[in-house]
Amino acid sequence: MTLLHAKLNPPLSHWQGKYAWIVGASSGIGRATAEALHAQGAQVIVSARDADALHELAKGRDGFVVLPLDVTEPETLAAAKLKVQACVDIAPDLVLYCAGRYLPQRATEFNLLEMQKHLAVNYVGALHLLDAVIPMLLEAGRGHLALVGSVAGYRGLPMSLAYGPTKAALNNLAENLYLDLHPLGLGISIINPGFVDTPLTAQNSFKMPALITPEEAARHILHGWKQGQFEMNFPRRFTRWVKLMRCLPDSWYFSAVRRVTGM
C-alpha cells in the first residue's frame, strides 16, 4: 500500500455494541450521523442545547442516551463526562464534535459579538470537549475523536468572515491532535463537508452548488471512518475543486473567487 492510500486510522466498520458520543446531534449532520450509527447497532449518546430535539430523536428507540449540554459552558461538559463514563467502559469508541454556529458576515458589516459567538461554539467548544474526553481516551488507550470542519476553512470565502476562520482552526487542531495522539492508539479525523442542507445553510441567499442532504453526508462520514481516513471532504464533485484552489497563487485565487461569486 502506498503512502497516498495508506489507512491513517484504525478502520471503524462494526458498530454493534459500540458507544458513540455526538455533540451537536439535535439537527443536520450530527443528527443524521447519530441515526446512521444507531441503525448499525451503536449505542449513541446525543448532546446539544436543544433538549426537546434530542428527546424527539430518541423517542421510542432503545440505544439512545439523551444528554443535553451547552458547549460554551465547560461545567456542563464536565458534568456530562461523568454521565458518559457511567454508560461506557472507560471511554466511548467514538466522540464526534458537530456543534456549530453560522451567520453570513462580511467585513463591511463587522460584528465583533458575532465573531466571538462563532469562536465560542465552533472552536472553543471543541476545546472544552477535548479537555473532558482526552484523559478518558488516553486511559482506555483506544477510541476515535472526530471534528466537523468545513471546506470554508480551506481559504477565505465571501460571507464567511466569522465562520471560515473557526473551521480553519479546527483543521489545524485536528492535524496536531493526530500527531500527538495517533501514536498512542487513538484515531483522529476531520470532516470537511461542502454544502449540506441544514438549518445553518438555509440562511444562505445564493444557490449552493452540489447541495446534499444530511443523510448523504452521514453516509460519506461512515464510509470515511470505515476506510480509516484522516480527512473526509464531500461531495467530491465539489470539494476537490475547492481543495485544489488552495494551491493557486493568491492573485489567481482572489480573481477566481470574485469571478465565480460576483463579489
Side-chain angles (χ1 to χ4, degrees), residues 25 31 71 85 93 168 172 176 186 207 220 236 240 242:
R31 182 186 178 107
V71 298
Q85 286 179 310
D93 300 281
N172 191 285
N176 280 282
L186 275 59
K207 180 177 173 57
H220 283 291
R236 296 301 299 277
R240 68 170 176 261
V242 180

Side-chain angles (χ1 to χ4, degrees), residues 110-124:
F110 191 87
N111 184 325
L112 177 59
L113 180 60
E114 197 54 54
M115 297 289 288
Q116 291 170 328
K117 287 180 178 178
H118 277 72
L119 183 64
V121 175
N122 295 353
Y123 184 69
V124 179

Side-chain angles (χ1 to χ4, degrees), residues 27-169:
S27 65
I29 295 173
R31 182 186 178 107
T33 304
E35 292 183 313
L37 290 170
H38 181 263
Q40 294 197 19
Q43 304 288 308
V44 187
I45 303 165
V46 288
S47 294
R49 288 186 302 172
D50 191 341
D52 290 341
L54 296 177
H55 285 293
E56 189 273 331
L57 168 63
K59 186 177 180 180
R61 295 197 280 187
D62 293 334
F64 277 109
V65 176
V66 173
L67 193 54
L69 57 82
D70 186 335
V71 298
T72 67
E73 299 177 359
E75 62 275 11
T76 69
L77 269 164
K81 170 187 175 180
L82 298 178
K83 294 178 181 178
V84 169
Q85 286 179 310
C87 294
V88 304
D89 179 19
I90 305 179
D93 300 281
L94 168 74
V95 179
L96 171 64
Y97 189 78
C98 198
R101 182 178 182 87
Y102 168 65
L103 187 70
Q105 185 180 167
R106 300 190 72 181
T108 50
E109 298 175 352
F110 191 87
N111 184 325
L112 177 59
L113 180 60
E114 197 54 54
M115 297 289 288
Q116 291 170 328
K117 287 180 178 178
H118 277 72
L119 183 64
V121 175
N122 295 353
Y123 184 69
V124 179
L127 301 185
H128 291 160
L129 180 64
L130 294 176
D131 185 52
V133 301
I134 285 178
M136 281 198 292
L137 297 173
L138 288 176
E139 181 183 354
R142 57 166 178 78
H144 190 106
L145 272 170
L147 306 173
V148 176
S150 168
V151 293
Y154 287 162
R155 293 198 74 164
L157 292 171
M159 307 305 294
S160 196
L161 183 74
Y163 183 75
T166 64
K167 296 302 184 177

Side-chain angles (χ1 to χ4, degrees), residues 7 10-13 221-229:
K7 288 182 171 63
L12 296 172
S13 54
I221 292 168
L222 266 65
H223 177 74
W225 286 330
K226 185 177 182 178
Q227 296 298 311
Q229 295 175 3

